[in-house]
Amino acid sequence: MTDLIDRLAGVTPGAAADALRRHRPATRDNAQASYDALFTAIDETHATLAERAAVAQFVAILHDDEVATAHYGALTRSAGDDTGDALADAVADLAASVRTTGPYGDYPTAPLAAENRDGLRLAVASDDPARAVLGDRTIAALEHAHLLVFRPREASPEALAALAAAGWSSDGIVTLSQLVSFLAFQLRVAAGLRLLTTEDAA
């Protein structure tokens, strides 16, 4: 059965990229199991499917991955029930407005301080119309996801406290961090396989 990374990468049965993935079946199966654990068989107590899907859609847009954006955007629309379309559209608009390149951030001490780069920091204003659609919890999650994607060196207790202040529990914060970390892996693997598939076709 084709798994999600294969679908995102356009891997077809029998192709060189397919053979490469099947050479490490445990890695392939574990990647799909991680996706299922985060998006399929889930406990929504600490992070709803709509919240997870919105974060995934947001991160996919930040990575400029059109295939993943379409997948997670559709998941956001379906997970949000009656508000799904508005939720997905608001995520798309916000992500498009804060896409940038990185990494950015500050190392407080030498020798890594020489690598400091200032850059965009996502902070959605209290009167921003996006808050009315997304809500404070999801806004906080997207701000944190933006930090982890572009400014991971600035992850801090203060950043976690901002999530807690928006209503995220400790378990929810762990789930959110796992989600962004998994997406960074998934999207990069899919991008690499797409490149291999293109070169194989050429």
Side-chain angles (χ1 to χ4, degrees):
M1 182 183 297
T2 302
D3 68 4
L4 183 57
I5 287 180
D6 284 347
R7 286 168 48 201
L8 296 179
V11 174
T12 56
D18 178 50
L20 180 65
R21 291 210 74 205
R22 293 181 185 280
H23 185 65
R24 299 283 181 139
T27 301
R28 185 173 186 266
D29 292 346
N30 287 337
Q32 182 61 32
S34 295
Y35 172 83
D36 291 337
L38 287 166
F39 293 102
T40 305
I42 64 169
D43 178 356
E44 295 192 78
T45 302
H46 304 290
T48 68
L49 179 57
E51 289 171 332
R52 296 167 192 238
V55 170
Q57 178 191 355
F58 183 77
V59 171
I61 295 172
L62 296 185
H63 282 79
D64 197 22
D65 189 320
E66 294 181 0
V67 181
T69 295
H71 171 79
Y72 286 115
L75 187 59
T76 304
R77 293 181 190 282
S78 62
D81 298 324
D82 293 341
T83 63
D85 287 342
L87 180 64
D89 289 344
V91 169
D93 289 343
L94 180 59
S97 72
V98 294
R99 275 178 52 196
T100 183
T101 57
Y104 300 116
D106 292 326
Y107 287 114
T109 59
L112 295 179
E115 299 180 15
N116 288 354
R117 290 183 63 206
D118 195 21
L120 178 66
R121 289 168 173 77
L122 175 57
V124 180
S126 59
D127 60 349
D128 191 304
R131 283 193 180 272
V133 179
L134 298 173
D136 291 342
R137 271 177 58 93
T138 300
I139 288 290
L142 299 185
E143 290 176 338
H144 192 70
H146 194 274
L147 178 148
L148 294 179
V149 170
F150 293 115
R151 297 182 290 111
R153 67 185 67 170
E154 292 185 7
S156 65
E158 291 76 18
L160 299 181
L163 287 171
W168 285 88
S169 67
S170 295
D171 287 342
I173 291 171
V174 170
T175 298
L176 177 60
S177 298
Q178 290 174 329
L179 173 59
V180 177
S181 177
F182 169 73
L183 289 165
F185 160 78
Q186 182 193 60
L187 298 179
R188 283 163 173 76
V189 171
L193 288 170
R194 263 186 232 121
L195 179 60
L196 292 175
T197 301
T198 301
E199 290 182 345
D200 184 47

